[in-house]
């Protein structure tokens, strides 16, 4: 299928239904001379656009009209940011009537933190809080508001996402970390994503702080080991609920799968369930899952429009299906 957005390069789409429309909050990829490296320096983004569409009826036979609402936040707007506005997400807080844009970026010391910006409309503009969320770190924030109104923030990413620098604890960033980009060795546990409850205004974590999120291997009931690159968490956390179960989905990074795991609570533990999408063209794979007009949609990206340039990605959408047991049917890229 052709990309949904072609006027600019976009990636890491977080899709939400607000006021009967789908709003897409993606990264805005741009050209750069920075060479590809494992830190992801080539993903040198400097602003965010918001997009919306009114309907996916008739898709994929007919393509939706997508509206670009323009720039809603940029590096210069945020006092604590030095560079790299990476994968964002958004949420609506019914308690305050505000929309929140969550975004990771490097602070002035080069450490990834997660910031929040507040707006009155889903399409922004958004005014950033002057400091990042206290206790936030790493990348790829994803919000989830449960049926009881409690909001959670999922996040984390290996390698350039710096998750491996926190092996000593949530508040212990080892800036001089020179070791492996993730745990290594047979039987050693992989590093999990992180999750924290959000406060009433959804601009801070609660006093509970942040917890490790565990994905279990179904055959052992033990955490997926670090050398299981086909199944271990790498980045691109997302949470959705289907038939009362919590579906945590993520990218496996260097094996390029979108995978999912199922749990009974927003904190997990989650048991690995399978793959959602086989590898697309391009190194990264990052997605969101949303129900709209009675169907379930996977928003994701690939590099077809740029003919395989890894840091110039484009957002696509694909319908997904569940089987009778609630397993997601694996899709092939199109
Ligand atoms: O877009 C920059 C980074 O690439 C994201 O944070 C990752 O999830 C990967 O898609």
């Amino acid at each position: 299928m052709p990309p949904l957005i072609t006027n600019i390069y976009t990636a890491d789409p977080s899709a939400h239904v607000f006021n009967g429309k789908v709003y897409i909050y993606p990264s805005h990829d741009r050209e750069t001379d920075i060479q590809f490296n494992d830190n992801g320096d080539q993903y040198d983004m400097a602003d965010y656009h918001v997009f919306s569409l009114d309907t996916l009826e008739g898709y994929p036979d007919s393509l939706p009209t997508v509206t670009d609402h323009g720039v809603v936040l940029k590096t210069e707007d945020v006092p604590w940011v030095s560079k790299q506005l990476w994968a964002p997400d958004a949420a609506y807080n019914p308690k305050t009537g505000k929309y929140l844009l969550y975004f990771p970026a490097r602070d002035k010391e080069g450490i990834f933190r997660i910031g929040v910006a507040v707006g009155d409309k889903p399409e922004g503009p958004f005014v950033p809080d002057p400091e990042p969320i206290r206790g936030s770190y790493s990348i790829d924030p994803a919000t989830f508001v449960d049926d009881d109104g409690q909001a959670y923030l999922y996040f984390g990413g290996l390698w350039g996402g710096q998750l491996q620098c926190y092996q000593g604890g949530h508040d212990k960033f080892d800036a001089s970390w020179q070791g492996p980009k993730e745990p290594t060795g047979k039987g050693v546990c992989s590093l999990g994503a992180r999750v924290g409850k959000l406060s009433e205004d959804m601009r801070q974590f609660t006093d509970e702080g942040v917890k490790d999120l565990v994905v279990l291997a179904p055959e052992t009931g033990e955490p997926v080991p670090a050398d299981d690159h086909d199944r271990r968490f790498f980045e691109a956390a997302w949470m959705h609920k289907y038939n009362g179960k919590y579906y945590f989905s993520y990218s496996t990074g260097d094996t390029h799968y979108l995978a999912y795991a199922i749990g009974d609570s927003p904190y997990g533990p989650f048991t690995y369930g399978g793959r959602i999408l086989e590898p697309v063209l391009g190194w990264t794979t990052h997605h969101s899952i949303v129900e709209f007009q009675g169907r379930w949609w996977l928003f994701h990206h690939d590099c077809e429009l740029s003919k395989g340039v890894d840091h110039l990605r484009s957002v696509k959408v694909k319908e997904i299906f569940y089987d009778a047991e609630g397993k997601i049917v694996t899709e092939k890229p199109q």
Side-chain angles (χ1 to χ4, degrees):
M1 289 305 298
L4 279 182
I5 299 164
T6 52
N7 60 322
I8 57 173
Y9 288 110
T10 51
D12 312 320
S14 293
H16 291 275
V17 178
F18 295 132
N19 308 326
K21 295 183 187 190
V22 173
Y23 284 86
I24 308 168
Y25 302 84
S27 301
H28 174 193
D29 285 354
R30 62 173 182 167
E31 305 271 359
T32 173
D33 293 332
I34 301 169
Q35 293 302 301
F36 181 100
N37 63 43
D38 284 350
N39 279 337
D41 293 336
Q42 66 277 19
Y43 302 107
D44 187 31
M45 297 84 103
D47 63 26
Y48 295 113
H49 287 228
V50 173
F51 298 83
S52 67
L53 58 88
D54 291 348
T55 184
L56 283 168
E57 271 170 25
Y59 185 85
D61 296 332
S62 58
L63 293 178
T65 303
V66 178
T67 303
D68 180 352
H69 296 280
V71 174
V72 296
L73 190 75
K74 50 190 187 312
T75 308
E76 307 88 272
D77 298 338
V78 194
W80 61 268
V81 166
S82 62
K83 61 178 181 174
Q84 287 177 300
L85 292 181
W86 280 12
D89 190 23
Y92 175 64
N93 186 345
K95 293 167 195 154
T96 59
K98 300 287 185 189
Y99 292 86
L100 301 121
L101 180 73
Y102 298 89
F103 57 96
R106 283 187 196 266
D107 67 12
K108 305 281 184 198
E109 277 146 30
I111 302 174
F112 270 107
R113 306 273 179 208
I114 295 169
V116 61
V118 184
D120 292 321
K121 293 183 288 184
E123 65 269 34
F126 295 96
V127 178
D129 283 353
E131 301 286 341
I133 296 173
R134 277 190 302 282
S136 71
Y137 56 91
S138 196
I139 59 167
D140 290 0
T143 46
F144 170 72
V145 183
D146 207 349
D147 301 332
D148 62 2
Q150 178 61 57
Y152 298 82
L153 190 72
Y154 297 81
F155 64 94
L158 289 167
W159 302 17
Q162 301 178 336
L163 200 55
Q164 66 278 4
C165 302
Y166 293 87
Q167 294 184 58
H170 292 277
D171 55 354
K172 295 196 178 61
F173 179 77
D174 181 356
S176 61
W177 179 259
Q178 296 292 330
K181 289 174 290 186
E182 56 187 300
T184 51
K186 235 184 165 32
V188 177
C189 277
S190 54
L191 286 177
R194 307 293 151 102
V195 51
K197 269 186 188 165
L198 289 170
S199 56
E200 290 277 297
D201 67 3
M202 293 176 64
R203 291 159 84 161
Q204 297 292 342
F205 291 119
T206 65
D207 292 343
E208 269 185 38
V210 161
K211 299 177 192 294
D212 294 341
L213 187 151
V214 179
V215 173
L216 304 173
E219 70 281 6
T220 60
E222 296 291 321
V224 167
D227 61 349
D228 188 345
H229 285 210
D230 282 356
R231 298 192 295 181
R232 62 94 168 78
F233 169 79
F234 187 94
E235 62 186 5
W238 188 256
M239 173 58 64
H240 76 278
K241 205 170 179 182
Y242 175 77
N243 276 353
K245 296 279 187 191
Y246 296 84
Y247 285 64
F248 173 69
S249 49
Y250 56 96
S251 165
T252 62
D254 55 352
T255 45
H256 317 291
Y257 300 118
L258 288 178
Y260 72 97
I262 301 177
D264 291 319
S265 101
Y267 282 143
F270 299 91
T271 301
Y272 179 82
R275 292 178 194 159
I276 305 168
L277 187 68
E278 298 289 346
V280 296
L281 179 64
W283 201 98
T284 63
T285 184
H286 188 132
H287 70 299
S288 57
I289 294 171
V290 67
E291 187 180 19
F292 181 53
Q293 297 175 327
R295 295 156 78 187
W296 284 90
W297 301 97
L298 174 75
F299 287 78
H300 66 102
H301 67 236
D302 69 20
C303 298
E304 273 183 31
L305 191 63
S306 69
K307 302 194 170 43
V309 180
D310 279 311
H311 64 276
L312 297 178
R313 302 162 291 179
S314 302
V315 167
K316 289 187 166 181
V317 65
K318 202 173 201 327
E319 188 170 7
I320 56 165
F321 302 91
Y322 303 83
D323 72 12
E325 271 99 53
K327 293 209 140 219
I328 297 176
V329 178
T330 308
E331 296 288 328
K332 292 201 167 49
Q334 280 180 327

